[in-house]
Amino acid sequence: MKPVNIGFNNMVMDERIVAIINPDSAPSRRLREEAKLENRLIDATLGKKTKTLIITDSNHVIMSAINPETISLRIGKGE
C-alpha cells in the first residue's frame, strides 16, 4: 500500500482506490450528491474546481482538483 498525492498534500492509499472518474457527467453528479447526503463525500479541493472523483473500496467519494490522468500516472509511478 502506497499513498498517492491527490493534491494539496492530501493522500489516498493506492489499494483503496476503486475508480477515478470525471465529475461532469450526470451519473457522476448523482453519485456525488448521494455521497453528500450519506456523509460519504470528502472534499480535498481546497475550494478549487473539482476535476476528479475518486471512489474508494469503503464507498467514499473523494473530490480532487487534480486531473484524472495525473492521478492515474501517480498511481502507476508509485508516487
Side-chain angles (χ1 to χ4, degrees):
M1 246 192 207
K2 294 187 179 181
V4 177
N5 185 343
I6 59 166
F8 306 109
N9 291 323
N10 295 302
M11 306 284 180
V12 176
M13 293 301 180
D14 61 353
E15 292 180 8
R16 304 292 307 258
I17 297 173
V18 174
I20 301 170
I21 60 174
N22 188 318
D24 297 330
S25 68
S28 296
R29 285 190 287 255
R30 280 193 301 272
L31 181 67
R32 181 188 338 188
E33 197 56 39
E34 287 173 9
K36 184 177 181 179
L37 292 173
E38 297 172 6
N39 293 321
R40 294 182 292 108
L41 183 66
I42 300 169
D43 187 353
T45 62
L46 268 66
K48 306 290 185 194
K49 182 181 185 294
T50 301
K51 294 182 181 175
T52 305
L53 293 180
I54 301 168
I55 315 303
T56 65
D57 60 353
S58 63
N59 211 20
H60 283 84
V61 177
I62 304 168
M63 300 182 339
S64 173
I66 305 295
N67 288 324
E69 296 85 11
T70 303
I71 294 174
S72 66
L73 286 174
R74 290 178 181 179
I75 291 171
K77 290 181 181 178
E79 287 186 14

